[in-house]
mmCIF file of all heavy atoms in Angstrom:
data_model
loop_
_atom_site.group_PDB
_atom_site.id
_atom_site.type_symbol
_atom_site.label_atom_id
_atom_site.label_comp_id
_atom_site.label_asym_id
_atom_site.label_seq_id
_atom_site.Cartn_x
_atom_site.Cartn_y
_atom_site.Cartn_z
ATOM 1 N N LEU A 1033 122.108 116.343 103.124
ATOM 2 C CA LEU A 1033 123.179 115.947 102.215
ATOM 3 C C LEU A 1033 122.976 114.527 101.681
ATOM 4 O O LEU A 1033 123.579 114.149 100.674
ATOM 5 C CB LEU A 1033 124.528 116.035 102.924
ATOM 6 C CG LEU A 1033 124.999 117.451 103.308
ATOM 7 C CD1 LEU A 1033 126.290 117.375 104.104
ATOM 8 C CD2 LEU A 1033 125.186 118.304 102.066
ATOM 9 N N CYS A 1034 122.151 113.753 102.365
ATOM 10 C CA CYS A 1034 121.873 112.386 101.919
ATOM 11 C C CYS A 1034 120.679 112.407 100.968
ATOM 12 O O CYS A 1034 119.562 112.755 101.367
ATOM 13 C CB CYS A 1034 121.572 111.475 103.107
ATOM 14 S SG CYS A 1034 121.176 109.778 102.635
ATOM 15 N N GLU A 1035 120.903 112.009 99.730
ATOM 16 C CA GLU A 1035 119.844 112.024 98.729
ATOM 17 C C GLU A 1035 119.070 110.709 98.685
ATOM 18 O O GLU A 1035 118.062 110.606 97.990
ATOM 19 C CB GLU A 1035 120.435 112.325 97.351
ATOM 20 C CG GLU A 1035 121.084 113.710 97.264
ATOM 21 C CD GLU A 1035 121.649 113.995 95.889
ATOM 22 O OE1 GLU A 1035 121.581 113.086 95.028
ATOM 23 O OE2 GLU A 1035 122.148 115.112 95.678
ATOM 24 N N GLU A 1036 119.564 109.703 99.417
ATOM 25 C CA GLU A 1036 118.872 108.413 99.482
ATOM 26 C C GLU A 1036 118.346 108.229 100.901
ATOM 27 O O GLU A 1036 118.226 109.196 101.646
ATOM 28 C CB GLU A 1036 119.832 107.282 99.075
ATOM 29 C CG GLU A 1036 120.574 107.525 97.767
ATOM 30 C CD GLU A 1036 119.652 107.691 96.567
ATOM 31 O OE1 GLU A 1036 118.510 107.185 96.608
ATOM 32 O OE2 GLU A 1036 120.081 108.315 95.570
ATOM 33 N N TYR A 1037 118.064 106.996 101.296
ATOM 34 C CA TYR A 1037 117.566 106.764 102.652
ATOM 35 C C TYR A 1037 118.695 106.961 103.667
ATOM 36 O O TYR A 1037 119.787 106.404 103.529
ATOM 37 C CB TYR A 1037 116.990 105.354 102.781
ATOM 38 C CG TYR A 1037 116.580 105.021 104.192
ATOM 39 C CD1 TYR A 1037 115.579 105.746 104.830
ATOM 40 C CD2 TYR A 1037 117.207 103.996 104.904
ATOM 41 C CE1 TYR A 1037 115.206 105.458 106.135
ATOM 42 C CE2 TYR A 1037 116.834 103.689 106.207
ATOM 43 C CZ TYR A 1037 115.842 104.438 106.816
ATOM 44 O OH TYR A 1037 115.466 104.160 108.113
ATOM 45 N N LEU A 1038 118.426 107.744 104.701
ATOM 46 C CA LEU A 1038 119.414 108.009 105.736
ATOM 47 C C LEU A 1038 119.230 107.013 106.871
ATOM 48 O O LEU A 1038 118.289 107.095 107.652
ATOM 49 C CB LEU A 1038 119.274 109.441 106.259
ATOM 50 C CG LEU A 1038 120.300 109.882 107.306
ATOM 51 C CD1 LEU A 1038 121.718 109.777 106.750
ATOM 52 C CD2 LEU A 1038 120.002 111.302 107.780
ATOM 53 N N THR A 1039 120.140 106.048 106.955
ATOM 54 C CA THR A 1039 120.086 105.047 108.020
ATOM 55 C C THR A 1039 120.725 105.610 109.279
ATOM 56 O O THR A 1039 121.283 106.700 109.285
ATOM 57 C CB THR A 1039 120.843 103.765 107.610
ATOM 58 O OG1 THR A 1039 122.255 104.015 107.676
ATOM 59 C CG2 THR A 1039 120.467 103.335 106.196
ATOM 60 N N VAL A 1040 120.697 104.813 110.335
ATOM 61 C CA VAL A 1040 121.337 105.244 111.580
ATOM 62 C C VAL A 1040 122.854 105.271 111.447
ATOM 63 O O VAL A 1040 123.535 105.898 112.251
ATOM 64 C CB VAL A 1040 120.926 104.329 112.736
ATOM 65 C CG1 VAL A 1040 119.459 104.469 113.038
ATOM 66 C CG2 VAL A 1040 121.275 102.896 112.432
ATOM 67 N N TYR A 1041 123.410 104.569 110.458
ATOM 68 C CA TYR A 1041 124.854 104.560 110.268
ATOM 69 C C TYR A 1041 125.321 105.633 109.317
ATOM 70 O O TYR A 1041 126.472 106.053 109.359
ATOM 71 C CB TYR A 1041 125.291 103.215 109.703
ATOM 72 C CG TYR A 1041 125.303 102.092 110.705
ATOM 73 C CD1 TYR A 1041 125.284 100.774 110.271
ATOM 74 C CD2 TYR A 1041 125.330 102.332 112.061
ATOM 75 C CE1 TYR A 1041 125.297 99.729 111.176
ATOM 76 C CE2 TYR A 1041 125.346 101.293 112.963
ATOM 77 C CZ TYR A 1041 125.336 99.997 112.527
ATOM 78 O OH TYR A 1041 125.354 98.956 113.412
ATOM 79 N N GLY A 1042 124.469 106.027 108.416
ATOM 80 C CA GLY A 1042 124.866 106.978 107.400
ATOM 81 C C GLY A 1042 123.933 106.886 106.205
ATOM 82 O O GLY A 1042 122.835 106.337 106.292
ATOM 83 N N CYS A 1043 124.374 107.400 105.088
ATOM 84 C CA CYS A 1043 123.529 107.497 103.901
ATOM 85 C C CYS A 1043 123.605 106.211 103.072
ATOM 86 O O CYS A 1043 124.691 105.771 102.692
ATOM 87 C CB CYS A 1043 123.975 108.685 103.054
ATOM 88 S SG CYS A 1043 122.878 109.055 101.678
ATOM 89 N N ALA A 1044 122.449 105.616 102.809
ATOM 90 C CA ALA A 1044 122.415 104.401 102.000
ATOM 91 C C ALA A 1044 122.856 104.707 100.572
ATOM 92 O O ALA A 1044 122.484 105.732 99.999
ATOM 93 C CB ALA A 1044 121.007 103.817 101.995
ATOM 94 N N LYS A 1045 123.669 103.838 100.014
ATOM 95 C CA LYS A 1045 124.070 103.991 98.622
ATOM 96 C C LYS A 1045 122.886 103.667 97.712
ATOM 97 O O LYS A 1045 122.014 102.872 98.066
ATOM 98 C CB LYS A 1045 125.274 103.096 98.328
ATOM 99 C CG LYS A 1045 126.500 103.490 99.156
ATOM 100 C CD LYS A 1045 127.692 102.599 98.905
ATOM 101 C CE LYS A 1045 128.875 103.018 99.782
ATOM 102 N NZ LYS A 1045 130.068 102.155 99.598
ATOM 103 N N GLU A 1046 122.874 104.280 96.540
ATOM 104 C CA GLU A 1046 121.686 104.224 95.687
ATOM 105 C C GLU A 1046 121.232 102.797 95.391
ATOM 106 O O GLU A 1046 120.039 102.494 95.432
ATOM 107 C CB GLU A 1046 121.960 104.964 94.379
ATOM 108 C CG GLU A 1046 120.757 105.023 93.452
ATOM 109 C CD GLU A 1046 121.031 105.817 92.195
ATOM 110 O OE1 GLU A 1046 122.194 106.269 92.004
ATOM 111 O OE2 GLU A 1046 120.102 105.994 91.385
ATOM 112 N N ASP A 1047 122.165 101.911 95.105
ATOM 113 C CA ASP A 1047 121.821 100.544 94.728
ATOM 114 C C ASP A 1047 121.892 99.568 95.898
ATOM 115 O O ASP A 1047 121.847 98.348 95.689
ATOM 116 C CB ASP A 1047 122.752 100.059 93.613
ATOM 117 C CG ASP A 1047 122.536 100.832 92.318
ATOM 118 O OD1 ASP A 1047 121.404 101.297 92.092
ATOM 119 O OD2 ASP A 1047 123.505 100.970 91.541
ATOM 120 N N SER A 1048 122.002 100.075 97.104
ATOM 121 C CA SER A 1048 122.084 99.203 98.273
ATOM 122 C C SER A 1048 120.770 98.467 98.483
ATOM 123 O O SER A 1048 119.701 98.914 98.053
ATOM 124 C CB SER A 1048 122.431 100.005 99.526
ATOM 125 O OG SER A 1048 121.395 100.929 99.831
ATOM 126 N N TYR A 1049 120.851 97.331 99.167
ATOM 127 C CA TYR A 1049 119.640 96.562 99.460
ATOM 128 C C TYR A 1049 118.624 97.411 100.214
ATOM 129 O O TYR A 1049 117.436 97.444 99.877
ATOM 130 C CB TYR A 1049 119.978 95.321 100.293
ATOM 131 C CG TYR A 1049 120.890 94.322 99.634
ATOM 132 C CD1 TYR A 1049 122.053 93.890 100.273
ATOM 133 C CD2 TYR A 1049 120.599 93.790 98.375
ATOM 134 C CE1 TYR A 1049 122.898 92.958 99.684
ATOM 135 C CE2 TYR A 1049 121.438 92.863 97.778
ATOM 136 C CZ TYR A 1049 122.583 92.448 98.433
ATOM 137 O OH TYR A 1049 123.426 91.532 97.841
ATOM 138 N N ILE A 1050 119.091 98.111 101.247
ATOM 139 C CA ILE A 1050 118.144 98.832 102.094
ATOM 140 C C ILE A 1050 117.531 100.029 101.368
ATOM 141 O O ILE A 1050 116.357 100.355 101.575
ATOM 142 C CB ILE A 1050 118.787 99.258 103.434
ATOM 143 C CG1 ILE A 1050 117.698 99.666 104.427
ATOM 144 C CG2 ILE A 1050 119.819 100.372 103.237
ATOM 145 C CD1 ILE A 1050 118.181 99.801 105.848
ATOM 146 N N ASN A 1051 118.281 100.671 100.497
ATOM 147 C CA ASN A 1051 117.727 101.804 99.767
ATOM 148 C C ASN A 1051 116.612 101.345 98.814
ATOM 149 O O ASN A 1051 115.551 101.969 98.722
ATOM 150 C CB ASN A 1051 118.813 102.530 98.987
ATOM 151 C CG ASN A 1051 118.394 103.927 98.580
ATOM 152 O OD1 ASN A 1051 118.048 104.758 99.427
ATOM 153 N ND2 ASN A 1051 118.388 104.204 97.288
ATOM 154 N N GLN A 1052 116.853 100.240 98.133
ATOM 155 C CA GLN A 1052 115.822 99.698 97.252
ATOM 156 C C GLN A 1052 114.610 99.231 98.056
ATOM 157 O O GLN A 1052 113.459 99.404 97.631
ATOM 158 C CB GLN A 1052 116.396 98.534 96.439
ATOM 159 C CG GLN A 1052 117.514 98.938 95.487
ATOM 160 C CD GLN A 1052 118.059 97.747 94.724
ATOM 161 O OE1 GLN A 1052 117.348 97.122 93.929
ATOM 162 N NE2 GLN A 1052 119.324 97.419 94.957
ATOM 163 N N PHE A 1053 114.860 98.626 99.200
ATOM 164 C CA PHE A 1053 113.801 98.130 100.072
ATOM 165 C C PHE A 1053 112.922 99.281 100.563
ATOM 166 O O PHE A 1053 111.687 99.204 100.526
ATOM 167 C CB PHE A 1053 114.446 97.398 101.254
ATOM 168 C CG PHE A 1053 113.493 96.696 102.178
ATOM 169 C CD1 PHE A 1053 113.122 95.385 101.939
ATOM 170 C CD2 PHE A 1053 113.007 97.337 103.314
ATOM 171 C CE1 PHE A 1053 112.263 94.722 102.817
ATOM 172 C CE2 PHE A 1053 112.146 96.685 104.188
ATOM 173 C CZ PHE A 1053 111.774 95.373 103.944
ATOM 174 N N VAL A 1054 113.556 100.353 101.019
ATOM 175 C CA VAL A 1054 112.803 101.508 101.526
ATOM 176 C C VAL A 1054 111.997 102.165 100.399
ATOM 177 O O VAL A 1054 110.838 102.558 100.599
ATOM 178 C CB VAL A 1054 113.752 102.517 102.192
ATOM 179 C CG1 VAL A 1054 113.037 103.829 102.501
ATOM 180 C CG2 VAL A 1054 114.336 101.929 103.474
ATOM 181 N N ASP A 1055 112.591 102.283 99.220
ATOM 182 C CA ASP A 1055 111.866 102.859 98.088
ATOM 183 C C ASP A 1055 110.590 102.080 97.786
ATOM 184 O O ASP A 1055 109.539 102.663 97.478
ATOM 185 C CB ASP A 1055 112.750 102.871 96.837
ATOM 186 C CG ASP A 1055 113.768 104.002 96.854
ATOM 187 O OD1 ASP A 1055 113.638 104.909 97.695
ATOM 188 O OD2 ASP A 1055 114.696 103.970 96.019
ATOM 189 N N LEU A 1056 110.668 100.769 97.902
ATOM 190 C CA LEU A 1056 109.522 99.928 97.571
ATOM 191 C C LEU A 1056 108.466 99.888 98.668
ATOM 192 O O LEU A 1056 107.266 99.886 98.379
ATOM 193 C CB LEU A 1056 109.991 98.499 97.279
ATOM 194 C CG LEU A 1056 110.683 98.248 95.938
ATOM 195 C CD1 LEU A 1056 111.290 96.851 95.907
ATOM 196 C CD2 LEU A 1056 109.679 98.414 94.802
ATOM 197 N N PHE A 1057 108.912 99.852 99.932
ATOM 198 C CA PHE A 1057 107.978 99.517 101.006
ATOM 199 C C PHE A 1057 107.771 100.595 102.070
ATOM 200 O O PHE A 1057 106.884 100.456 102.909
ATOM 201 C CB PHE A 1057 108.438 98.222 101.698
ATOM 202 C CG PHE A 1057 108.587 97.063 100.762
ATOM 203 C CD1 PHE A 1057 109.832 96.501 100.508
ATOM 204 C CD2 PHE A 1057 107.483 96.533 100.113
ATOM 205 C CE1 PHE A 1057 109.968 95.420 99.650
ATOM 206 C CE2 PHE A 1057 107.605 95.451 99.251
ATOM 207 C CZ PHE A 1057 108.848 94.899 99.015
ATOM 208 N N TRP A 1058 108.569 101.656 102.051
ATOM 209 C CA TRP A 1058 108.461 102.661 103.105
ATOM 210 C C TRP A 1058 108.237 104.081 102.587
ATOM 211 O O TRP A 1058 108.068 104.999 103.393
ATOM 212 C CB TRP A 1058 109.723 102.645 103.974
ATOM 213 C CG TRP A 1058 109.713 101.558 104.998
ATOM 214 C CD1 TRP A 1058 110.077 100.255 104.830
ATOM 215 C CD2 TRP A 1058 109.305 101.683 106.372
ATOM 216 N NE1 TRP A 1058 109.932 99.553 106.003
ATOM 217 C CE2 TRP A 1058 109.458 100.405 106.969
ATOM 218 C CE3 TRP A 1058 108.841 102.739 107.154
ATOM 219 C CZ2 TRP A 1058 109.157 100.165 108.305
ATOM 220 C CZ3 TRP A 1058 108.545 102.504 108.489
ATOM 221 C CH2 TRP A 1058 108.702 101.230 109.050
ATOM 222 N N SER A 1059 108.223 104.277 101.310
ATOM 223 C CA SER A 1059 108.120 105.646 100.783
ATOM 224 C C SER A 1059 106.846 106.348 101.239
ATOM 225 O O SER A 1059 106.838 107.569 101.445
ATOM 226 C CB SER A 1059 108.193 105.637 99.255
ATOM 227 O OG SER A 1059 107.176 104.824 98.698
ATOM 228 N N ASP A 1060 105.762 105.596 101.450
ATOM 229 C CA ASP A 1060 104.497 106.189 101.887
ATOM 230 C C ASP A 1060 104.325 106.161 103.402
ATOM 231 O O ASP A 1060 103.318 106.654 103.917
ATOM 232 C CB ASP A 1060 103.313 105.458 101.237
ATOM 233 C CG ASP A 1060 103.294 105.601 99.726
ATOM 234 O OD1 ASP A 1060 103.818 106.618 99.228
ATOM 235 O OD2 ASP A 1060 102.766 104.689 99.050
ATOM 236 N N LEU A 1061 105.303 105.578 104.111
ATOM 237 C CA LEU A 1061 105.167 105.402 105.560
ATOM 238 C C LEU A 1061 106.126 106.264 106.370
ATOM 239 O O LEU A 1061 105.887 106.512 107.553
ATOM 240 C CB LEU A 1061 105.404 103.928 105.937
ATOM 241 C CG LEU A 1061 104.495 102.876 105.308
ATOM 242 C CD1 LEU A 1061 104.903 101.490 105.797
ATOM 243 C CD2 LEU A 1061 103.040 103.144 105.636
ATOM 244 N N LEU A 1062 107.219 106.707 105.759
ATOM 245 C CA LEU A 1062 108.278 107.360 106.525
ATOM 246 C C LEU A 1062 107.816 108.602 107.261
ATOM 247 O O LEU A 1062 108.156 108.815 108.428
ATOM 248 C CB LEU A 1062 109.461 107.700 105.610
ATOM 249 C CG LEU A 1062 110.379 106.548 105.229
ATOM 250 C CD1 LEU A 1062 111.431 107.012 104.229
ATOM 251 C CD2 LEU A 1062 111.052 105.960 106.463
ATOM 252 N N GLU A 1063 107.053 109.443 106.599
ATOM 253 C CA GLU A 1063 106.631 110.696 107.230
ATOM 254 C C GLU A 1063 105.795 110.422 108.476
ATOM 255 O O GLU A 1063 106.012 111.021 109.537
ATOM 256 C CB GLU A 1063 105.844 111.546 106.238
ATOM 257 C CG GLU A 1063 105.474 112.917 106.802
ATOM 258 C CD GLU A 1063 104.806 113.810 105.760
ATOM 259 O OE1 GLU A 1063 104.769 113.417 104.569
ATOM 260 O OE2 GLU A 1063 104.329 114.895 106.140
ATOM 261 N N GLU A 1064 104.852 109.501 108.370
ATOM 262 C CA GLU A 1064 104.025 109.154 109.529
ATOM 263 C C GLU A 1064 104.865 108.475 110.603
ATOM 264 O O GLU A 1064 104.702 108.741 111.802
ATOM 265 C CB GLU A 1064 102.890 108.228 109.087
ATOM 266 C CG GLU A 1064 101.966 107.805 110.226
ATOM 267 C CD GLU A 1064 100.874 106.850 109.757
ATOM 268 O OE1 GLU A 1064 100.868 106.489 108.547
ATOM 269 O OE2 GLU A 1064 100.053 106.466 110.599
ATOM 270 N N HIS A 1065 105.785 107.611 110.188
ATOM 271 C CA HIS A 1065 106.620 106.885 111.143
ATOM 272 C C HIS A 1065 107.521 107.837 111.924
ATOM 273 O O HIS A 1065 107.728 107.671 113.131
ATOM 274 C CB HIS A 1065 107.456 105.852 110.388
ATOM 275 C CG HIS A 1065 108.340 105.020 111.253
ATOM 276 N ND1 HIS A 1065 109.637 105.368 111.529
ATOM 277 C CD2 HIS A 1065 108.114 103.858 111.915
ATOM 278 C CE1 HIS A 1065 110.182 104.460 112.316
ATOM 279 N NE2 HIS A 1065 109.291 103.531 112.562
ATOM 280 N N GLU A 1066 108.084 108.824 111.253
ATOM 281 C CA GLU A 1066 108.993 109.761 111.913
ATOM 282 C C GLU A 1066 108.299 110.627 112.953
ATOM 283 O O GLU A 1066 108.950 111.187 113.831
ATOM 284 C CB GLU A 1066 109.665 110.641 110.856
ATOM 285 C CG GLU A 1066 110.677 109.881 109.997
ATOM 286 C CD GLU A 1066 111.157 110.680 108.808
ATOM 287 O OE1 GLU A 1066 110.653 111.817 108.620
ATOM 288 O OE2 GLU A 1066 112.021 110.184 108.058
ATOM 289 N N ALA A 1067 106.977 110.731 112.882
ATOM 290 C CA ALA A 1067 106.216 111.559 113.825
ATOM 291 C C ALA A 1067 105.772 110.783 115.064
ATOM 292 O O ALA A 1067 105.149 111.350 115.960
ATOM 293 C CB ALA A 1067 104.996 112.152 113.118
ATOM 294 N N ILE A 1068 106.117 109.497 115.157
ATOM 295 C CA ILE A 1068 105.657 108.665 116.268
ATOM 296 C C ILE A 1068 106.310 109.088 117.585
ATOM 297 O O ILE A 1068 107.512 109.323 117.653
ATOM 298 C CB ILE A 1068 105.957 107.178 115.998
ATOM 299 C CG1 ILE A 1068 105.073 106.666 114.862
ATOM 300 C CG2 ILE A 1068 105.743 106.330 117.248
ATOM 301 C CD1 ILE A 1068 105.381 105.248 114.436
ATOM 302 N N ASP A 1069 105.499 109.196 118.616
ATOM 303 C CA ASP A 1069 105.975 109.382 119.982
ATOM 304 C C ASP A 1069 106.200 107.983 120.560
ATOM 305 O O ASP A 1069 105.245 107.217 120.730
ATOM 306 C CB ASP A 1069 104.931 110.145 120.799
ATOM 307 C CG ASP A 1069 105.290 110.257 122.277
ATOM 308 O OD1 ASP A 1069 106.373 109.763 122.678
ATOM 309 O OD2 ASP A 1069 104.477 110.828 123.036
ATOM 310 N N TRP A 1070 107.466 107.631 120.874
ATOM 311 C CA TRP A 1070 107.801 106.273 121.278
ATOM 312 C C TRP A 1070 107.725 106.057 122.789
ATOM 313 O O TRP A 1070 108.122 104.997 123.287
ATOM 314 C CB TRP A 1070 109.199 105.910 120.781
ATOM 315 C CG TRP A 1070 109.264 105.805 119.289
ATOM 316 C CD1 TRP A 1070 109.661 106.770 118.406
ATOM 317 C CD2 TRP A 1070 108.889 104.682 118.490
ATOM 318 N NE1 TRP A 1070 109.564 106.320 117.117
ATOM 319 C CE2 TRP A 1070 109.096 105.030 117.128
ATOM 320 C CE3 TRP A 1070 108.397 103.408 118.787
ATOM 321 C CZ2 TRP A 1070 108.829 104.155 116.082
ATOM 322 C CZ3 TRP A 1070 108.138 102.533 117.736
ATOM 323 C CH2 TRP A 1070 108.353 102.909 116.407
ATOM 324 N N SER A 1071 107.213 107.015 123.533
ATOM 325 C CA SER A 1071 107.124 106.854 124.986
ATOM 326 C C SER A 1071 106.106 105.774 125.342
ATOM 327 O O SER A 1071 105.207 105.443 124.555
ATOM 328 C CB SER A 1071 106.738 108.170 125.646
ATOM 329 O OG SER A 1071 105.429 108.558 125.268
ATOM 330 N N GLU A 1072 106.241 105.232 126.540
ATOM 331 C CA GLU A 1072 105.377 104.132 126.977
ATOM 332 C C GLU A 1072 103.911 104.545 127.034
ATOM 333 O O GLU A 1072 103.009 103.728 126.831
ATOM 334 C CB GLU A 1072 105.834 103.628 128.345
ATOM 335 C CG GLU A 1072 105.135 102.376 128.811
ATOM 336 C CD GLU A 1072 105.751 101.786 130.059
ATOM 337 O OE1 GLU A 1072 106.619 102.449 130.672
ATOM 338 O OE2 GLU A 1072 105.391 100.656 130.425
ATOM 339 N N GLU A 1073 103.661 105.810 127.313
ATOM 340 C CA GLU A 1073 102.285 106.285 127.461
ATOM 341 C C GLU A 1073 101.591 106.516 126.121
ATOM 342 O O GLU A 1073 100.361 106.622 126.056
ATOM 343 C CB GLU A 1073 102.264 107.600 128.252
ATOM 344 C CG GLU A 1073 102.811 107.495 129.669
ATOM 345 C CD GLU A 1073 104.339 107.450 129.709
ATOM 346 O OE1 GLU A 1073 104.961 107.860 128.695
ATOM 347 O OE2 GLU A 1073 104.895 106.976 130.720
ATOM 348 N N SER A 1074 102.363 106.580 125.059
ATOM 349 C CA SER A 1074 101.800 106.925 123.756
ATOM 350 C C SER A 1074 101.226 105.706 123.037
ATOM 351 O O SER A 1074 101.757 104.599 123.136
ATOM 352 C CB SER A 1074 102.886 107.561 122.882
ATOM 353 O OG SER A 1074 102.417 107.755 121.572
#
């Protein structure tokens, strides 16, 4: 249901600082980042 960046609090508004920031600097990283195993052994 969130068409912009989904933060831990909720859906970023289109013109929000974080939505613009993610569009510029994370659009090519999110998919790889979301697949990270955060355990100590990884």
Side-chain angles (χ1 to χ4, degrees):
L1033 293 175
C1034 178
E1035 297 181 357
E1036 310 300 336
Y1037 175 62
L1038 183 59
T1039 74
V1040 294
Y1041 284 161
C1043 188
K1045 297 179 181 179
E1046 183 177 4
D1047 294 331
S1048 64
Y1049 298 127
I1050 195 167
N1051 198 58
Q1052 296 179 64
F1053 186 89
V1054 170
D1055 282 347
L1056 285 170
F1057 304 114
W1058 279 84
S1059 57
D1060 296 333
L1061 301 179
L1062 283 175
E1063 185 175 352
E1064 180 182 2
H1065 181 268
E1066 289 170 357
I1068 291 175
D1069 174 1
W1070 292 96
S1071 66
E1072 188 171 9
E1073 299 77 19
S1074 173

